[in-house]
Amino acid sequence: APVYVPAGEAVVKIQALGQKARGIYPYMIVELDGEEIGETFVDSAEWKEYTFAINSGTVPVGLKVLSVTFLNDYCDAKEDRNLIVGEARVDER
């Protein structure tokens, strides 16, 4: 999704929930224009906000592509691990 990165310090906020399988929650990597800004297990079956700090010293100001990658998909006859992403936004600090 396209997002605008402001000058100075900001945070990327992603609402997500996870469905675990084999006792493991989904793992997401967050990137701006292909550069990783953070990663985490989405460790809640309820909506939760995950926050990743950025600043214009490491991420240039302007329109960027925000992407979330789900790395540890798993499915068998009994369980299915899923990552569900809701709203994503950039807020100034």
Coordinates of all heavy atoms in Angstrom, one line a residue:
A1 N 0.8 -1.2 0.0 CA 0.0 0.0 0.0 C 0.9 1.2 0.0 O 1.9 1.3 0.7 CB -0.9 0.0 1.2
P2 N 0.5 2.3 -0.7 CA 1.3 3.5 -0.7 C 1.0 4.3 0.6 O -0.1 4.4 1.1 CB 0.8 4.3 -1.9 CG -0.6 3.8 -2.1 CD -0.6 2.3 -1.7
V3 N 2.1 4.8 1.2 CA 2.0 5.6 2.4 C 3.0 6.8 2.3 O 4.0 6.7 1.6 CB 2.4 4.8 3.7 CG1 1.3 3.7 4.0 CG2 3.8 4.3 3.7
Y4 N 2.7 7.9 3.0 CA 3.6 9.0 3.0 C 4.4 9.0 4.3 O 3.9 8.9 5.4 CB 2.8 10.3 2.9 CG 3.7 11.5 2.8 CD1 4.3 11.9 1.6 CD2 3.9 12.3 3.9 CE1 5.2 13.0 1.5 CE2 4.8 13.4 3.9 CZ 5.4 13.7 2.7 OH 6.3 14.8 2.6
V5 N 5.7 9.1 4.1 CA 6.7 9.2 5.2 C 7.0 10.7 5.4 O 7.6 11.3 4.5 CB 7.9 8.3 5.0 CG1 8.9 8.6 6.1 CG2 7.6 6.9 4.8
P6 N 6.7 11.2 6.6 CA 7.0 12.6 6.9 C 8.4 12.9 7.3 O 9.1 11.9 7.6 CB 6.0 13.0 8.0 CG 5.9 11.7 8.8 CD 6.0 10.6 7.7
A7 N 8.8 14.1 7.4 CA 10.2 14.5 7.9 C 10.2 14.2 9.4 O 9.2 14.3 10.1 CB 10.5 15.9 7.6
G8 N 11.4 13.9 9.9 CA 11.5 13.7 11.3 C 11.2 12.2 11.7 O 11.3 11.3 10.9
E9 N 10.8 12.1 13.0 CA 10.5 10.8 13.5 C 9.0 10.4 13.2 O 8.2 11.3 13.4 CB 10.8 10.7 15.0 CG 12.3 10.8 15.3 CD 12.6 10.6 16.7 OE1 11.7 10.1 17.5 OE2 13.7 10.8 17.1
A10 N 8.8 9.2 12.9 CA 7.4 8.7 12.7 C 7.3 7.2 13.1 O 8.4 6.6 13.4 CB 7.0 8.9 11.2
V11 N 6.1 6.7 13.1 CA 5.9 5.3 13.4 C 5.0 4.7 12.4 O 4.0 5.3 11.9 CB 5.4 5.0 14.8 CG1 6.4 5.3 15.9 CG2 4.1 5.8 15.1
V12 N 5.3 3.5 12.0 CA 4.3 2.7 11.1 C 3.5 1.9 12.1 O 4.1 1.1 12.9 CB 5.1 1.8 10.1 CG1 4.2 0.9 9.4 CG2 5.9 2.7 9.2
K13 N 2.2 2.0 12.0 CA 1.3 1.2 12.9 C 0.5 0.2 12.0 O -0.1 0.7 11.1 CB 0.4 2.1 13.6 CG 1.1 3.0 14.6 CD 0.2 3.9 15.4 CE 1.0 4.7 16.4 NZ 0.1 5.6 17.2
I14 N 0.6 -1.0 12.4 CA -0.2 -2.1 11.6 C -1.0 -2.8 12.6 O -0.6 -3.4 13.6 CB 0.8 -3.0 10.9 CG1 1.7 -2.2 9.9 CG2 0.1 -4.2 10.3 CD1 2.8 -3.0 9.3
Q15 N -2.3 -2.9 12.3 CA -3.3 -3.7 13.0 C -3.3 -5.1 12.4 O -3.4 -5.2 11.2 CB -4.7 -3.1 13.0 CG -4.8 -1.8 13.8 CD -6.2 -1.3 13.8 OE1 -7.1 -1.8 13.2 NE2 -6.4 -0.3 14.6
A16 N -3.1 -6.1 13.2 CA -3.1 -7.5 12.7 C -3.5 -8.4 13.8 O -3.5 -8.1 15.0 CB -1.6 -7.8 12.3
L17 N -3.9 -9.6 13.3 CA -4.2 -10.7 14.3 C -3.6 -12.0 13.6 O -3.4 -12.1 12.4 CB -5.6 -10.8 14.6 CG -6.6 -11.2 13.5 CD1 -6.8 -12.7 13.3 CD2 -8.0 -10.6 13.9
G18 N -3.3 -13.0 14.5 CA -2.7 -14.2 14.0 C -3.5 -15.4 14.5 O -4.1 -15.4 15.5
Q19 N -3.5 -16.4 13.6 CA -4.1 -17.7 13.9 C -2.9 -18.7 14.0 O -2.2 -18.9 13.0 CB -5.1 -18.1 12.8 CG -6.3 -17.2 12.8 CD -7.1 -17.4 11.6 OE1 -6.7 -17.9 10.5 NE2 -8.4 -17.1 11.7
K20 N -2.6 -19.2 15.2 CA -1.4 -20.1 15.3 C -1.7 -21.5 14.9 O -2.9 -21.9 14.9 CB -0.9 -20.0 16.7 CG -1.8 -20.5 17.8 CD -1.1 -20.4 19.2 CE -2.0 -20.9 20.3 NZ -1.4 -20.7 21.6
A21 N -0.6 -22.2 14.6 CA -0.7 -23.6 14.2 C 0.6 -24.2 14.8 O 1.6 -23.6 14.8 CB -0.8 -23.8 12.7
R22 N 0.5 -25.4 15.3 CA 1.6 -26.1 16.0 C 2.2 -25.3 17.1 O 3.4 -25.3 17.3 CB 2.6 -26.6 14.9 CG 2.0 -27.5 13.9 CD 3.0 -28.1 13.0 NE 3.7 -29.2 13.7 CZ 4.7 -29.9 13.3 NH1 5.2 -29.6 12.1 NH2 5.2 -30.9 14.0
G23 N 1.3 -24.5 17.7 CA 1.8 -23.6 18.8 C 2.6 -22.4 18.4 O 3.1 -21.7 19.3
I24 N 2.6 -22.1 17.1 CA 3.4 -21.0 16.7 C 2.5 -20.0 15.9 O 1.8 -20.3 15.1 CB 4.6 -21.4 15.7 CG1 5.5 -22.4 16.5 CG2 5.4 -20.2 15.2 CD1 6.5 -23.1 15.6
Y25 N 2.7 -18.7 16.3 CA 1.9 -17.6 15.7 C 2.6 -17.2 14.4 O 3.8 -17.5 14.1 CB 1.8 -16.4 16.6 CG 0.8 -16.5 17.6 CD1 1.0 -16.8 18.9 CD2 -0.6 -16.2 17.3 CE1 0.0 -16.9 19.9 CE2 -1.6 -16.3 18.2 CZ -1.3 -16.6 19.5 OH -2.3 -16.7 20.5
P26 N 1.9 -16.5 13.5 CA 2.5 -16.0 12.2 C 3.6 -15.0 12.5 O 3.5 -14.3 13.5 CB 1.3 -15.4 11.5 CG 0.2 -15.2 12.4 CD 0.5 -16.2 13.6
Y27 N 4.5 -14.9 11.6 CA 5.6 -14.0 11.7 C 5.6 -13.0 10.5 O 5.4 -13.5 9.3 CB 7.0 -14.8 11.6 CG 8.2 -14.0 12.0 CD1 8.4 -13.7 13.3 CD2 9.1 -13.6 11.0 CE1 9.6 -13.0 13.7 CE2 10.2 -12.8 11.4 CZ 10.4 -12.6 12.7 OH 11.5 -11.9 13.1
M28 N 5.6 -11.7 10.8 CA 5.6 -10.8 9.7 C 6.8 -9.9 9.6 O 7.4 -9.6 10.6 CB 4.3 -9.9 9.8 CG 4.3 -8.8 10.8 SD 2.9 -7.8 10.7 CE 2.9 -6.9 12.2
I29 N 7.2 -9.5 8.4 CA 8.2 -8.6 8.1 C 7.6 -7.4 7.5 O 6.8 -7.5 6.6 CB 9.3 -9.2 7.2 CG1 10.0 -10.3 8.0 CG2 10.3 -8.1 6.8 CD1 11.1 -11.0 7.2
V30 N 8.0 -6.2 8.0 CA 7.4 -4.9 7.4 C 8.5 -4.2 6.7 O 9.6 -4.0 7.2 CB 6.8 -4.1 8.6 CG1 6.3 -2.8 8.1 CG2 5.8 -4.9 9.4
E31 N 8.2 -3.7 5.5 CA 9.1 -3.0 4.6 C 8.5 -1.7 4.1 O 7.3 -1.7 3.8 CB 9.6 -3.9 3.5 CG 10.3 -5.2 3.9 CD 10.6 -6.1 2.7 OE1 9.9 -6.1 1.7 OE2 11.6 -6.8 2.8
L32 N 9.4 -0.8 3.8 CA 9.1 0.4 3.1 C 10.0 0.5 1.9 O 11.2 0.4 2.0 CB 9.3 1.7 3.9 CG 8.3 2.0 5.0 CD1 8.7 3.2 5.9 CD2 6.9 2.3 4.4
D33 N 9.4 0.5 0.7 CA 10.2 0.4 -0.6 C 11.2 -0.7 -0.6 O 12.3 -0.5 -1.0 CB 10.8 1.8 -0.9 CG 9.9 2.8 -1.4 OD1 8.7 2.4 -1.8 OD2 10.3 3.9 -1.6
G34 N 10.8 -1.9 0.0 CA 11.7 -3.0 -0.1 C 12.8 -3.1 1.0 O 13.5 -4.0 1.1
E35 N 12.8 -2.0 1.9 CA 13.8 -2.0 3.0 C 13.1 -2.4 4.3 O 12.1 -1.7 4.6 CB 14.4 -0.6 3.1 CG 15.2 -0.2 1.9 CD 16.5 -1.0 1.7 OE1 17.1 -1.4 2.7 OE2 16.8 -1.3 0.5
E36 N 13.6 -3.4 4.9 CA 13.0 -3.8 6.2 C 13.1 -2.8 7.3 O 14.1 -2.2 7.5 CB 13.7 -5.1 6.7 CG 13.0 -5.7 7.9 CD 13.7 -7.0 8.3 OE1 14.1 -7.8 7.5 OE2 13.8 -7.2 9.6
I37 N 11.9 -2.5 7.9 CA 11.9 -1.6 9.1 C 11.5 -2.3 10.4 O 11.6 -1.7 11.4 CB 10.9 -0.4 8.8 CG1 9.5 -0.9 8.6 CG2 11.4 0.4 7.7 CD1 8.4 0.2 8.8
G38 N 11.1 -3.6 10.3 CA 10.8 -4.3 11.5 C 10.3 -5.7 11.2 O 9.9 -6.0 10.0
E39 N 10.2 -6.5 12.2 CA 9.7 -7.9 12.1 C 9.2 -8.3 13.5 O 9.8 -7.9 14.5 CB 10.7 -8.8 11.5 CG 12.0 -8.9 12.3 CD 13.0 -9.7 11.5 OE1 13.7 -9.2 10.7 OE2 13.1 -10.9 11.8
T40 N 8.2 -9.2 13.5 CA 7.7 -9.7 14.8 C 6.8 -10.8 14.6 O 6.2 -11.0 13.5 CB 7.0 -8.5 15.5 OG1 6.7 -9.0 16.8 CG2 5.7 -8.2 14.8
F41 N 6.6 -11.6 15.6 CA 5.5 -12.6 15.7 C 4.2 -11.8 16.0 O 4.2 -10.9 16.8 CB 5.7 -13.6 16.8 CG 6.7 -14.7 16.4 CD1 8.0 -14.6 16.7 CD2 6.3 -15.8 15.6 CE1 8.9 -15.6 16.4 CE2 7.2 -16.8 15.2 CZ 8.5 -16.7 15.6
V42 N 3.1 -12.1 15.3 CA 1.8 -11.6 15.5 C 1.2 -12.5 16.5 O 0.6 -13.5 16.2 CB 1.0 -11.4 14.2 CG1 -0.4 -10.9 14.5 CG2 1.7 -10.5 13.3
D43 N 1.3 -12.2 17.8 CA 1.1 -13.1 18.9 C -0.3 -12.9 19.6 O -0.4 -13.1 20.8 CB 2.2 -13.0 19.9 CG 2.3 -11.6 20.5 OD1 1.6 -10.7 20.1 OD2 3.1 -11.4 21.4
S44 N -1.3 -12.6 18.8 CA -2.6 -12.4 19.4 C -3.7 -12.8 18.4 O -3.6 -12.5 17.2 CB -2.8 -10.9 19.7 OG -4.2 -10.7 20.2
A45 N -4.7 -13.5 18.9 CA -5.8 -13.9 18.0 C -6.9 -12.8 18.0 O -7.8 -13.0 17.2 CB -6.4 -15.2 18.6
E46 N -6.6 -11.7 18.7 CA -7.5 -10.6 18.6 C -6.7 -9.4 17.9 O -5.5 -9.4 17.9 CB -7.9 -10.1 20.0 CG -8.6 -11.2 20.9 CD -9.9 -11.5 20.3 OE1 -10.6 -10.6 19.8 OE2 -10.3 -12.7 20.4
W47 N -7.4 -8.5 17.4 CA -6.8 -7.3 16.8 C -5.8 -6.6 17.7 O -6.2 -6.4 18.9 CB -7.8 -6.3 16.2 CG -8.5 -6.8 15.1 CD1 -9.8 -7.2 15.0 CD2 -8.0 -7.0 13.7 NE1 -10.2 -7.6 13.8 CE2 -9.1 -7.5 12.9 CE3 -6.8 -6.8 13.1 CZ2 -9.0 -7.8 11.6 CZ3 -6.7 -7.1 11.8 CH2 -7.7 -7.6 11.0
K48 N -4.6 -6.4 17.3 CA -3.6 -5.7 18.1 C -2.8 -4.8 17.2 O -2.6 -5.1 16.0 CB -2.7 -6.8 18.7 CG -1.6 -6.3 19.6 CD -0.8 -7.5 20.2 CE 0.5 -7.1 20.9 NZ 1.2 -8.2 21.4
E49 N -2.3 -3.7 17.7 CA -1.5 -2.8 16.9 C 0.0 -3.0 17.1 O 0.4 -3.1 18.3 CB -1.9 -1.3 17.2 CG -1.3 -0.3 16.3 CD -1.9 1.0 16.5 OE1 -1.6 1.7 17.5 OE2 -2.8 1.4 15.7
Y50 N 0.7 -3.2 16.0 CA 2.2 -3.4 16.1 C 2.8 -2.1 15.5 O 2.4 -1.6 14.5 CB 2.6 -4.6 15.2 CG 2.0 -5.9 15.8 CD1 0.7 -6.3 15.5 CD2 2.7 -6.6 16.7 CE1 0.1 -7.4 16.1 CE2 2.1 -7.8 17.3 CZ 0.8 -8.2 16.9 OH 0.3 -9.3 17.5
T51 N 3.8 -1.6 16.2 CA 4.4 -0.3 15.9 C 5.9 -0.5 15.6 O 6.6 -1.2 16.3 CB 4.3 0.7 17.1 OG1 2.9 0.8 17.4 CG2 4.8 2.0 16.8
F52 N 6.3 0.2 14.5 CA 7.7 0.2 14.0 C 8.2 1.6 13.8 O 7.6 2.4 13.0 CB 7.8 -0.6 12.7 CG 7.2 -2.0 12.8 CD1 5.9 -2.2 12.6 CD2 8.0 -3.0 13.3 CE1 5.3 -3.5 12.7 CE2 7.4 -4.3 13.4 CZ 6.1 -4.5 13.1
A53 N 9.2 2.0 14.5 CA 9.7 3.4 14.5 C 10.6 3.6 13.2 O 11.3 2.7 12.8 CB 10.6 3.7 15.7
I54 N 10.4 4.8 12.6 CA 11.2 5.2 11.4 C 11.6 6.6 11.6 O 11.0 7.4 12.4 CB 10.5 5.0 10.1 CG1 9.1 5.8 10.1 CG2 10.2 3.5 9.8 CD1 8.4 5.8 8.8
N55 N 12.6 7.1 10.9 CA 12.9 8.5 10.9 C 13.5 8.9 9.5 O 14.0 8.0 8.8 CB 13.8 8.9 12.0 CG 15.2 8.4 11.9 OD1 15.9 8.6 10.9 ND2 15.7 7.6 12.9
S56 N 13.4 10.2 9.2 CA 13.8 10.6 7.8 C 15.3 10.5 7.6 O 15.8 10.6 6.5 CB 13.3 12.0 7.5 OG 13.8 12.9 8.5
G57 N 16.1 10.2 8.7 CA 17.5 10.0 8.5 C 17.8 8.6 7.9 O 18.8 8.5 7.2
T58 N 16.9 7.7 8.1 CA 17.1 6.3 7.6 C 16.1 6.0 6.5 O 16.4 5.2 5.6 CB 17.0 5.3 8.7 OG1 15.7 5.4 9.3 CG2 18.1 5.4 9.7
V59 N 14.9 6.7 6.5 CA 13.9 6.5 5.5 C 13.6 7.8 4.9 O 13.1 8.7 5.6 CB 12.6 5.8 6.0 CG1 11.6 5.7 5.0 CG2 12.9 4.5 6.7
P60 N 14.0 8.1 3.6 CA 13.7 9.4 3.0 C 12.2 9.8 3.0 O 11.4 9.0 2.9 CB 14.2 9.2 1.6 CG 15.2 8.1 1.6 CD 14.6 7.2 2.7
V61 N 12.0 11.1 3.2 CA 10.7 11.7 3.1 C 10.0 11.4 1.8 O 10.7 11.4 0.7 CB 10.7 13.2 3.4 CG1 9.4 13.8 3.2 CG2 11.3 13.5 4.8
G62 N 8.7 11.1 1.8 CA 8.0 11.0 0.5 C 7.1 9.8 0.5 O 6.9 9.1 1.5
L63 N 6.5 9.6 -0.7 CA 5.6 8.5 -0.9 C 6.4 7.2 -1.0 O 7.3 7.1 -1.8 CB 4.8 8.7 -2.1 CG 3.5 7.8 -2.3 CD1 2.5 8.0 -1.2 CD2 2.9 8.2 -3.7
K64 N 6.0 6.2 -0.2 CA 6.7 4.9 -0.2 C 5.6 3.7 -0.3 O 4.5 3.9 -0.1 CB 7.4 4.7 1.2 CG 8.3 5.8 1.5 CD 9.5 5.8 0.6 CE 10.4 7.0 1.0 NZ 11.2 7.4 -0.1
V65 N 6.1 2.6 -0.7 CA 5.3 1.4 -0.7 C 5.5 0.6 0.6 O 6.6 0.2 0.9 CB 5.6 0.5 -1.9 CG1 4.8 -0.8 -1.9 CG2 5.3 1.2 -3.2
L66 N 4.4 0.4 1.4 CA 4.5 -0.3 2.6 C 4.1 -1.8 2.3 O 3.0 -2.0 1.6 CB 3.5 0.3 3.6 CG 3.3 -0.5 4.9 CD1 4.6 -0.5 5.7 CD2 2.2 0.1 5.7
S67 N 4.9 -2.7 2.7 CA 4.5 -4.1 2.5 C 4.7 -4.9 3.7 O 5.6 -4.6 4.5 CB 5.3 -4.7 1.3 OG 6.7 -4.7 1.6
V68 N 3.9 -6.0 3.9 CA 3.9 -6.9 5.0 C 4.1 -8.3 4.4 O 3.3 -8.7 3.5 CB 2.7 -6.8 5.8 CG1 2.7 -7.9 6.9 CG2 2.5 -5.5 6.5
T69 N 5.1 -9.0 4.8 CA 5.3 -10.4 4.3 C 5.1 -11.3 5.4 O 5.5 -11.1 6.6 CB 6.8 -10.5 3.8 OG1 7.0 -9.5 2.8 CG2 7.0 -11.9 3.2
F70 N 4.4 -12.4 5.1 CA 4.0 -13.5 6.1 C 4.9 -14.7 5.7 O 4.8 -15.3 4.7 CB 2.5 -13.8 5.9 CG 2.0 -15.0 6.6 CD1 2.5 -15.4 7.8 CD2 1.0 -15.7 6.0 CE1 2.0 -16.6 8.4 CE2 0.4 -16.8 6.6 CZ 0.9 -17.3 7.8
L71 N 5.9 -15.0 6.6 CA 6.9 -15.9 6.3 C 6.7 -17.4 6.7 O 7.2 -18.3 6.0 CB 8.2 -15.5 7.0 CG 8.9 -14.3 6.4 CD1 10.2 -14.0 7.1 CD2 9.2 -14.4 4.9
N72 N 5.9 -17.6 7.7 CA 5.8 -19.0 8.2 C 4.5 -19.6 8.1 O 3.9 -20.2 9.0 CB 6.3 -19.0 9.7 CG 5.4 -18.2 10.6 OD1 4.7 -17.3 10.2 ND2 5.5 -18.5 11.9
D73 N 3.9 -19.5 6.9 CA 2.6 -20.2 6.6 C 2.7 -21.7 6.9 O 3.7 -22.3 6.7 CB 2.2 -19.9 5.2 CG 0.8 -20.2 4.9 OD1 0.0 -20.4 5.9 OD2 0.4 -20.3 3.7
Y74 N 1.6 -22.2 7.4 CA 1.5 -23.7 7.7 C 0.1 -24.1 7.6 O -0.8 -23.4 8.1 CB 2.1 -24.0 9.1 CG 2.0 -25.4 9.4 CD1 2.9 -26.3 9.0 CD2 0.9 -25.9 10.2 CE1 2.8 -27.7 9.3 CE2 0.8 -27.2 10.5 CZ 1.8 -28.1 10.1 OH 1.6 -29.4 10.4
C75 N -0.1 -25.3 7.0 CA -1.5 -25.8 7.0 C -1.4 -27.3 6.9 O -0.6 -27.9 6.2 CB -2.2 -25.3 5.8 SG -3.9 -25.8 5.7
D76 N -2.2 -28.0 7.7 CA -2.4 -29.5 7.6 C -3.9 -29.7 7.7 O -4.7 -28.8 7.8 CB -1.5 -30.2 8.5 CG -1.8 -30.0 10.0 OD1 -2.9 -29.6 10.3 OD2 -0.9 -30.4 10.8
A77 N -4.2 -31.0 7.9 CA -5.6 -31.3 8.0 C -6.3 -30.8 9.3 O -7.5 -30.6 9.3 CB -5.8 -32.9 8.0
K78 N -5.5 -30.5 10.3 CA -6.0 -30.0 11.6 C -5.9 -28.5 11.9 O -6.7 -27.9 12.6 CB -5.4 -30.8 12.7 CG -5.6 -32.2 12.7 CD -4.9 -32.9 13.9 CE -5.0 -34.4 13.8 NZ -4.3 -35.0 14.9
E79 N -4.8 -27.9 11.3 CA -4.5 -26.5 11.7 C -4.1 -25.7 10.5 O -3.6 -26.3 9.5 CB -3.3 -26.5 12.7 CG -3.6 -27.2 14.0 CD -2.3 -27.1 14.9 OE1 -1.3 -27.8 14.5 OE2 -2.4 -26.5 15.9
D80 N -4.3 -24.4 10.6 CA -3.9 -23.5 9.5 C -3.4 -22.2 10.1 O -4.2 -21.5 10.8 CB -5.2 -23.2 8.6 CG -4.8 -22.4 7.4 OD1 -3.6 -22.2 7.1 OD2 -5.8 -22.1 6.7
R81 N -2.2 -21.9 10.0 CA -1.6 -20.6 10.5 C -1.9 -19.5 9.5 O -1.6 -19.7 8.3 CB -0.1 -20.8 10.7 CG 0.6 -19.6 11.3 CD 2.1 -19.8 11.5 NE 2.3 -21.0 12.3 CZ 3.2 -21.9 12.0 NH1 3.9 -21.9 10.8 NH2 3.4 -23.0 12.7
N82 N -2.4 -18.4 10.0 CA -2.7 -17.3 9.1 C -2.4 -16.0 9.8 O -2.4 -15.8 11.0 CB -4.3 -17.3 8.8 CG -4.7 -18.4 7.9 OD1 -4.3 -18.5 6.8 ND2 -5.4 -19.3 8.5
L83 N -2.0 -15.0 8.9 CA -1.8 -13.6 9.3 C -2.9 -12.8 8.7 O -3.1 -12.9 7.5 CB -0.4 -13.1 8.9 CG -0.2 -11.6 9.1 CD1 -0.1 -11.3 10.5 CD2 1.1 -11.2 8.4
I84 N -3.6 -12.0 9.5 CA -4.7 -11.2 9.0 C -4.3 -9.7 9.3 O -4.1 -9.4 10.5 CB -6.0 -11.5 9.5 CG1 -6.3 -13.0 9.1 CG2 -7.1 -10.6 9.1 CD1 -7.3 -13.7 10.0
V85 N -4.1 -8.9 8.3 CA -3.7 -7.5 8.4 C -4.9 -6.6 8.2 O -5.6 -6.8 7.2 CB -2.5 -7.2 7.4 CG1 -2.1 -5.7 7.6 CG2 -1.3 -8.1 7.7
G86 N -5.1 -5.7 9.1 CA -6.1 -4.7 9.0 C -5.6 -3.4 8.5 O -4.8 -3.3 7.5
E87 N -5.8 -2.3 9.3 CA -5.4 -1.0 8.9 C -3.9 -0.9 9.1 O -3.3 -1.4 10.0 CB -6.1 0.0 9.8 CG -5.7 1.5 9.5 CD -6.4 2.5 10.4 OE1 -6.3 2.3 11.6 OE2 -7.0 3.4 9.8
A88 N -3.3 -0.1 8.2 CA -1.8 0.2 8.3 C -1.7 1.7 8.0 O -2.4 2.3 7.1 CB -1.0 -0.5 7.3
R89 N -0.9 2.4 8.9 CA -0.8 3.9 8.7 C 0.6 4.3 9.2 O 1.3 3.6 10.0 CB -1.9 4.6 9.3 CG -1.9 4.6 10.8 CD -3.1 5.3 11.4 NE -3.0 5.4 12.9 CZ -3.3 4.4 13.7 NH1 -3.7 3.3 13.3 NH2 -3.2 4.6 15.0
V90 N 1.0 5.5 8.8 CA 2.2 6.2 9.3 C 1.7 7.4 10.1 O 1.0 8.2 9.6 CB 3.1 6.6 8.2 CG1 4.3 7.3 8.7 CG2 3.6 5.4 7.4
D91 N 2.2 7.5 11.4 CA 1.9 8.7 12.2 C 3.2 9.4 12.6 O 4.2 8.7 12.9 CB 1.2 8.2 13.5 CG -0.2 7.7 13.3 OD1 -0.8 8.0 12.2 OD2 -0.7 7.0 14.2
E92 N 3.1 10.7 12.6 CA 4.3 11.5 13.1 C 4.4 11.3 14.6 O 3.4 11.1 15.3 CB 4.1 13.0 12.8 CG 4.2 13.3 11.3 CD 4.1 14.7 11.1 OE1 4.8 15.5 11.7 OE2 3.3 15.1 10.2
R93 N 5.6 11.3 15.1 CA 5.8 11.2 16.6 C 5.7 12.5 17.2 O 5.9 13.5 16.8 CB 7.2 10.6 16.9 CG 7.2 9.2 16.9 CD 8.3 8.7 17.7 NE 8.1 7.2 17.9 CZ 9.0 6.5 18.4 NH1 10.1 6.9 18.8 NH2 8.7 5.2 18.6

